[in-house]
Amino acid sequence: MRPLWRCRNCGAEWPCQPARLSLLVEYRDDRVGLLLYLGVVMAEATEHLARLNPGHVPDLHHRFLAWARARD
């Protein structure tokens, strides 16, 4: 649900756990593509959430990118 960036199904912050799993399956052979996609939507979410809460720019790195990095 934009501009709140909440999941339409469960109401949790997107990407919620089910969304993360779905994205990992969808991009299972393209981790770089997944990170690029998440970077784009993170920028969009940052803009939307900053407009909803002027004076506060959210740090969304962990929420959008950190979980998707390849495990060593």
Side-chain angles (χ1 to χ4, degrees), residues 43-61:
E44 186 178 347
T46 299
E47 183 180 321
H48 287 170
L49 295 171
R51 269 194 256 139
L52 291 173
N53 190 7
H56 175 72
V57 177
D59 180 7
L60 301 176
H61 178 267

Side-chain angles (χ1 to χ4, degrees), residues 19-66:
R20 290 177 181 189
L21 181 58
S22 178
L23 287 164
L24 287 171
V25 168
E26 181 178 347
Y27 287 91
R28 73 179 145 262
D29 296 323
D30 187 9
R31 187 60 61 109
V32 172
L34 172 60
L35 292 169
L36 287 170
Y37 169 71
L38 290 170
V40 168
V41 294
M42 182 181 77
E44 186 178 347
T46 299
E47 183 180 321
H48 287 170
L49 295 171
R51 269 194 256 139
L52 291 173
N53 190 7
H56 175 72
V57 177
D59 180 7
L60 301 176
H61 178 267
H62 182 74
R63 178 174 162 184
F64 280 84
L65 294 173

